[in-house]
């Protein structure tokens, strides 16, 4: 099977990334691994659409995820037509290229739509990803699972919302990831609020959310596959991300730490209210960020920490995902 991973740029990938572990385990299973950067697609009128790929063949020996990246980075790119890809897996972060290559993410999504129309399985569904390029996507889901939210560029709107929420709110960019430019605003910090709003809105819209007291315990990154919770040996693919002291951000690469998550009925009940729509939207592999009984974000481009969930729970969630993908690809081939 040829599994093509669409990433931002190969040289920016890291060993700890979930994409690296998915690719490494796919290679160990005997699949060809293709890495496609956002600038690597090509379209030749109606004749062909494809990409210039760095390819790791099954017979090549790669012993570690580190070595996988090392080998791929040295590869010369080769053209591969979409018809020769069994799966195109969109695993890039739109925010990474928002400033220096603002064209990259949107154009890659258009190429993915073309490739889907030629019969290649693309995950997550690029037609619906158009609706999910920022945090607005959460507003399509039931009100009871969403924190109170406004999306604006108006300083006065933020002031009014702060008043309504008892002088404690979270501010962050509408388009963003990784905990960058996320602020907790309280009553005694109003003197800095205008500057904070200006910093966030410099690159687009601002999202303000109510502050949830449960956030003091971090958040839960919870994984879904084809609309269902990922579960192996009675353990859910989830991570409790806890912020470092003095920081409100739970993101691992912002200094947060990963702990085993306690998945209770409240969390499962919250998850159950979004699974049907995610499946209908073709959101095959998803990471939910949950605080209490609310979903703070729905990560549909490149949700990470699946390998951490495996390590913390001492089960192999990565293999579970690849098992499911292999069956889906086989079913698609048999149905043609």
């Amino acid at each position: 099977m040829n599994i093509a991973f669409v990433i931002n740029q190969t040289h920016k990938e890291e060993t700890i990334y979930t994409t690296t572990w998915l690719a490494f385990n796919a290679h160990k299973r005997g699949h060809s691994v293709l890495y496609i950067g956002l600038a690597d697609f090509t379209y030749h009128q109606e004749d062909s659409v494809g990409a210039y790929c760095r390819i790791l063949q099954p017979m090549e020996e790669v012993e570690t995820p580190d070595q996988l990246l090392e080998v791929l980075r040295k590869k010369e790119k080769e053209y591969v037509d979409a018809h020769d890809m069994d799966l195109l897996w969109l695993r890039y972060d739109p925010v990474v290229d928002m400033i220096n290559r603002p064209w990259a993410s949107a154009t890659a999504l258009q190429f993915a739509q073309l490739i889907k129309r030629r019969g290649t399985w693309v995950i997550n569904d690029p037609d619906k990803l158009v609706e999910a390029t920022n945090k607005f996507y959460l507003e399509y889901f039931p009100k009871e699972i969403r924190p109170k939210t406004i999306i604006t560029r108006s300083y006065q709107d933020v002031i009014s919302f702060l008043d309504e929420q008892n002088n404690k709110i979270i501010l962050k960019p509408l388009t963003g990831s990784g905990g960058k430019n996320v602020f907790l605003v309280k009553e005694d910090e109003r003197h800095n609020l205008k500057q904070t709003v200006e910093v966030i809105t410099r690159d687009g819209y601002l999202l303000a959310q109510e502050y949830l007291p449960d956030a003091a315990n971090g958040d839960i990154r919870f994984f879904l596959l084809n609309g269902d919770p990922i579960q192996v040996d009675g353990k859910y693919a989830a991570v409790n991300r806890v912020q470092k002291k003095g920081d409100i951000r739970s993101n691992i690469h912002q200094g947060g730490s990963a702990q085993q998550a306690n998945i209770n009925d409240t969390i499962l009940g919250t998850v159950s209210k979004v699974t049907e729509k995610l499946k209908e939207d073709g959101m095959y592999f998803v990471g939910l960020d949950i605080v209490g009984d609310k979903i703070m974000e729905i990560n549909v481009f490149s949700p990470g920490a699946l390998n951490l969930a495996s390590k913390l729970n001492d089960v192999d969630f990565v293999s579970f995902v690849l098992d499911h993908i292999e069956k889906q690809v086989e079913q698609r081939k048999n149905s043609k």
Side-chain angles (χ1 to χ4, degrees), residues 63-77:
E63 300 297 329
T64 64
D66 265 326
Q67 191 179 2
L68 176 135
L69 289 179
E70 182 182 337
V71 170
L72 280 169
R73 286 174 182 139
K74 294 177 181 177
K75 292 280 187 178
E76 294 293 329
K77 295 178 184 179

Side-chain angles (χ1 to χ4, degrees), residues 50 54 81 101 131 151 164 190 251 261 274 303 305 333:
R54 300 179 193 272
D81 190 88
R101 300 194 301 172
E131 295 179 0
I151 296 169
E164 293 168 8
R190 285 190 180 226
N251 310 78
V274 303
K333 286 181 177 179

Side-chain angles (χ1 to χ4, degrees), residues 93-201:
D93 183 350
V95 181
V96 169
D97 290 291
M98 189 169 66
I99 304 300
N100 294 327
R101 300 194 301 172
W103 48 268
S105 175
T107 310
L109 208 51
Q110 289 179 300
F111 272 107
Q113 289 175 305
L114 281 175
I115 289 171
K116 174 192 170 185
R117 281 155 180 70
R118 280 164 169 75
T120 299
W121 184 27
V122 182
I123 56 175
N124 290 325
D125 190 324
D127 294 328
K128 281 296 183 176
L129 280 177
V130 172
E131 295 179 0
T133 54
N134 58 41
K135 298 179 182 68
F136 230 133
Y137 186 54
L138 183 59
E139 302 305 306
Y140 289 84
F141 291 83
K143 185 176 181 180
E144 62 266 27
I145 61 90
R146 293 186 273 116
K148 294 174 184 176
T149 299
I150 66 167
I151 296 169
T152 187
R153 285 176 53 83
S154 165
Y155 170 66
Q156 191 54 53
D157 284 350
V158 175
I159 287 288
S160 299
F161 188 65
L162 183 60
D163 290 337
E164 293 168 8
Q165 299 305 315
N166 298 315
N167 299 310
K168 203 170 188 180
I169 59 174
I170 298 292
L171 299 181
K172 51 188 165 182
L174 177 64
T175 301
S177 68
K180 183 179 180 181
N181 286 340
V182 178
F183 300 91
L184 170 63
V185 179
K186 296 180 285 187
E187 170 64 23
D188 59 356
E189 295 168 344
R190 285 190 180 226
H191 60 283
N192 291 323
L193 184 55
K194 190 170 183 63
Q195 293 93 322
T196 302
V197 170
E198 288 173 354
V199 166
I200 298 174
T201 57

Side-chain angles (χ1 to χ4, degrees), residues 47-332:
D47 298 327
S48 68
V49 58
Y52 291 96
C53 311
R54 300 179 193 272
I55 306 172
L56 182 65
Q57 300 289 0
M59 70 285 300
E60 298 182 72
E61 290 189 12
V62 169
E63 300 297 329
T64 64
D66 265 326
Q67 191 179 2
L68 176 135
L69 289 179
E70 182 182 337
V71 170
L72 280 169
R73 286 174 182 139
K74 294 177 181 177
K75 292 280 187 178
E76 294 293 329
K77 295 178 184 179
E78 303 175 43
Y79 177 75
V80 178
D81 190 88
H83 289 301
D84 295 320
M85 301 176 191
D86 295 296
L87 169 63
L88 185 73
W89 197 338
L90 303 177
R91 288 286 307 168
Y92 65 91
D93 183 350
V95 181
V96 169
D97 290 291
M98 189 169 66
I99 304 300
N100 294 327
R101 300 194 301 172
W103 48 268
S105 175
T107 310
L109 208 51
Q110 289 179 300
F111 272 107
Q113 289 175 305
L114 281 175
I115 289 171
K116 174 192 170 185
R117 281 155 180 70
R118 280 164 169 75
T120 299
W121 184 27
V122 182
I123 56 175
N124 290 325
D125 190 324
D127 294 328
K128 281 296 183 176
L129 280 177
V130 172
E131 295 179 0
T133 54
N134 58 41
K135 298 179 182 68
F136 230 133
Y137 186 54
L138 183 59
E139 302 305 306
Y140 289 84
F141 291 83
K143 185 176 181 180
E144 62 266 27
I145 61 90
R146 293 186 273 116
K148 294 174 184 176
T149 299
I150 66 167
I151 296 169
T152 187
R153 285 176 53 83
S154 165
Y155 170 66
Q156 191 54 53
D157 284 350
V158 175
I159 287 288
S160 299
F161 188 65
L162 183 60
D163 290 337
E164 293 168 8
Q165 299 305 315
N166 298 315
N167 299 310
K168 203 170 188 180
I169 59 174
I170 298 292
L171 299 181
K172 51 188 165 182
L174 177 64
T175 301
S177 68
K180 183 179 180 181
N181 286 340
V182 178
F183 300 91
L184 170 63
V185 179
K186 296 180 285 187
E187 170 64 23
D188 59 356
E189 295 168 344
R190 285 190 180 226
H191 60 283
N192 291 323
L193 184 55
K194 190 170 183 63
Q195 293 93 322
T196 302
V197 170
E198 288 173 354
V199 166
I200 298 174
T201 57
R202 183 174 53 207
D203 297 320
Y205 276 85
L206 167 152
L207 182 145
Q209 289 178 330
E210 66 174 315
Y211 175 77
L212 301 175
D214 285 340
N217 300 317
D219 65 10
I220 302 292
R221 167 62 57 88
F222 190 98
F223 289 94
L224 300 173
L225 190 67
N226 202 30
D228 296 320
I230 297 176
Q231 190 176 19
V232 176
D233 295 339
K235 299 175 181 179
Y236 290 98
V239 172
N240 183 15
R241 305 184 305 175
V242 182
Q243 58 268 57
K244 65 181 180 181
K245 188 175 182 180
D247 200 332
I248 62 168
R249 300 168 298 178
S250 303
N251 310 78
I252 302 301
H253 62 276
Q254 294 290 356
S257 59
Q259 301 177 0
Q260 188 173 16
N262 176 30
I263 304 303
N264 54 35
D265 290 341
T266 298
I267 292 173
L268 294 176
T270 300
V271 170
S272 69
K273 294 173 183 176
V274 303
T275 53
E276 183 177 350
K277 177 171 173 55
L278 287 170
K279 189 169 184 177
E280 288 175 356
D281 286 355
M283 298 303 176
Y284 181 81
F285 184 63
V286 175
L288 306 176
D289 293 345
I290 304 171
V291 172
D293 62 352
K294 304 293 184 185
I295 295 176
M296 307 304 289
E297 290 188 30
I298 298 178
N299 302 274
V300 292
F301 273 91
S302 56
L306 185 67
N307 47 321
L308 280 175
S310 294
K311 183 177 180 181
L312 290 167
N313 289 281
D314 196 27
V315 295
D316 190 352
F317 294 122
V318 173
S319 289
F320 179 89
V321 171
L322 292 172
D323 285 343
H324 199 278
I325 283 175
E326 288 172 346
K327 291 174 184 175
Q328 293 292 314
V329 169
E330 189 63 30
Q331 289 175 9
R332 289 175 65 89

